[in-house]
Structures are given as C-alpha cells and as structure tokens.
Amino acid sequence: WNHCYHWNQQQVTWPCAAAGHPELAHGWLRMRRDQLPRMIDSARRRFDADGAWYSDVFDRRGWQSEDPPITTPGLQIALDAWRTWRHTGDETFLREIAWPLMREVCRFSLDRGYDDENGLWHPSIGHPYEHASSYDVRDGLTDIAHIRAVFPKAAQIADRFGEHAFADQLRDAVNRMVEPELIPIPDHY
C-alpha cells in the first residue's frame, strides 16, 4: 500500500499500555498529533466543521482520503492518547499530545452532532468500516460507543485545564445522547 489504514495501524498500539509499554505508542500518537493542522483543514473542507477529522486512509505526512466519511478514527486516536497518558502519568504528554488530539476530535464530533425534536443529541451521520458503497448510518453504534468513552474523559481534562464551558458541552451531549437501537437476535438463529 502507498498509504495506511487507521483500522489496521491502530491494532499495533492498542495493547501497548496494557502490556506495560505505553511508550511504544508515543511515535504513533505524536505522528497523529503532528497531522492535526491538516486534519482541522480537512474537517473544514469536507464537512464545514470545527475541530479535526481523521479519516481511515492516510499517509504519515498528513494526507488523508476524504471518502468515505468514516468518523470514528479520531475518537479512537483520542482514546488511545488518553490510555497512554493514564498509564504513564506524563503531564507533558497530556499537555502536548493527548489533550490537543482529544480537544479537536471532540470539537469535531460536537460540531457535527445534532439535536432532534425531542432534545436528544445524535452523533453525525457516519459511514461504517469496510463498506464500499456510499451507505450512511444514523446513530452508528461505533460512534455512540466512542463518544460515550471519550467525551467524559475529555470533560475531566478540559476542567483540569480550565476549559469549563467546553467540559459542560461534552457532558451535556453525553447526558442527552440517543440510545443505540439494539436488534434482538432470535434464539433459533
């Protein structure tokens, strides 16, 4: 391949912290943080949105494919950055790598989310992984799960850095978030 797939690449970093070697994820996360200016430009260009959008397909210099509009990679990167910080306690890593990633990815998700007529907050319309058509998903389980995992952690860090209004926005979105639609599996499958 002439590029990377986030889904494939992140599997190398997921176990680093739990295996007792969070430092092995630092290069990956530093590279993703260094791409932040281009991801912010990409969010504005592709979605007319604030924050940073990380696509599934990218290269190490920061180019990324803007189709299909998969929206969860940024949240997954933010969660990896948070995990790495929690395992190391490295305040410099938090301030320079984890928090900038988390803040901008959350800003993107907040900007793209919307309220329905009942006051429930929905994540943006997304695109599922490994689906070749232009098939879009409303209230995708992957998006909901990652927002529920990342927003509360980002709110705690926002408070820590004095960004209380942003922390309140994150908590409000999670508190009003739509429940995922679960489809029961028949016993006689």
Side-chain angles (χ1 to χ4, degrees):
W1 298 327
N2 296 330
H3 51 268
C4 303
Y5 289 92
H6 167 74
W7 188 251
N8 299 37
Q9 296 295 315
Q10 72 176 354
Q11 295 176 43
V12 178
T13 60
W14 278 347
C16 292
H21 290 285
E23 73 280 2
L24 296 177
H26 282 204
W28 164 256
L29 294 168
R30 190 174 299 108
M31 177 191 70
R32 298 306 264 169
R33 189 272 329 267
D34 290 348
Q35 294 171 335
L36 201 53
R38 287 191 178 190
M39 303 307 107
I40 290 170
D41 288 344
S42 196
R44 284 189 190 121
R45 184 175 46 257
R46 176 67 168 86
F47 296 102
D48 191 27
D50 289 332
W53 172 54
Y54 286 85
S55 177
D56 183 46
V57 180
F58 66 98
D59 72 12
R60 62 183 169 73
R61 294 166 302 204
W63 168 88
Q64 70 176 1
S65 172
E66 294 187 355
D67 283 308
I70 297 171
T71 54
T72 52
L75 292 165
Q76 293 165 346
I77 295 164
L79 194 54
D80 284 344
W82 181 84
R83 273 192 220 102
T84 300
W85 167 67
R86 289 294 294 158
H87 276 79
T88 64
D90 182 342
E91 293 298 314
T92 301
F93 177 84
L94 174 64
R95 188 174 46 261
E96 295 178 4
I97 296 176
W99 180 234
L101 282 168
M102 293 178 79
R103 181 192 316 110
E104 295 306 319
V105 165
C106 289
R107 284 182 62 226
F108 174 75
S109 292
L110 279 173
D111 192 47
R112 296 268 301 140
Y114 62 94
D115 295 328
D116 69 14
E117 64 278 355
N118 299 315
L120 293 175
W121 189 82
H122 297 260
S124 66
I125 302 296
H127 189 88
Y129 280 108
E130 304 298 337
H131 200 285
S133 74
S134 60
Y135 180 69
D136 291 331
V137 175
R138 180 176 170 242
D139 301 331
L141 183 58
T142 305
D143 295 321
I144 289 173
H146 280 86
I147 289 169
R148 283 192 175 155
V150 175
F151 277 25
K153 293 165 179 54
Q156 290 174 352
I157 297 171
D159 278 334
R160 182 182 186 140
F161 288 126
E163 298 180 35
H164 304 297
F166 184 52
D168 290 343
Q169 286 180 299
L170 295 167
R171 287 187 193 99
D172 179 61
V174 170
N175 289 336
R176 295 184 307 107
M177 185 179 286
V178 66
E179 291 294 322
E181 181 179 347
L182 302 177
I183 301 169
I185 298 173
D187 292 337
H188 60 280
Y189 189 81

